[in-house]
Amino acid sequence: MPYVNIKVTDEQVTTAQKRQLIEGVTQLLVDILHKNPQTTHVVIDEVPMGNWGHNGKQYTGTKTTK
């Protein structure tokens, strides 16, 4: 029973986009690992931006410069 957990920031991911992610990931597991789609579970967690970090810093939603 495959279980896939996708974490994204809570930046207005639409229901249609979530549906595409779930369908696409399920199909990948079917195509590559020959898993049964009826026993494949995909969960999408939306993480608040204040709970996201990158490069040792809390993400503030602003772009960083190089």
Side-chain angles (χ1 to χ4, degrees):
M1 174 180 74
Y3 169 84
V4 177
N5 183 228
I6 300 170
K7 294 187 183 284
V8 297
T9 54
D10 61 348
E11 296 179 282
Q12 302 172 352
V13 179
T14 68
T15 300
Q17 290 170 322
K18 291 175 192 177
R19 186 177 302 112
Q20 286 180 296
L21 283 170
I22 292 167
E23 290 173 357
V25 167
T26 299
Q27 193 60 51
L28 277 173
L29 290 170
V30 169
D31 293 345
I32 296 170
L33 299 178
H34 310 290
K35 296 298 182 180
N36 182 346
Q38 293 186 7
T39 60
T40 299
H41 297 79
V42 180
V43 175
I44 299 172
D45 290 326
E46 292 182 272
V47 180
M49 293 300 290
N51 293 349
W52 200 272
H54 176 260
N55 196 28
K57 308 279 186 202
Q58 182 180 17
Y59 187 76
T60 62
T62 59
K63 292 185 178 183
T64 58
T65 57
K66 293 182 181 181

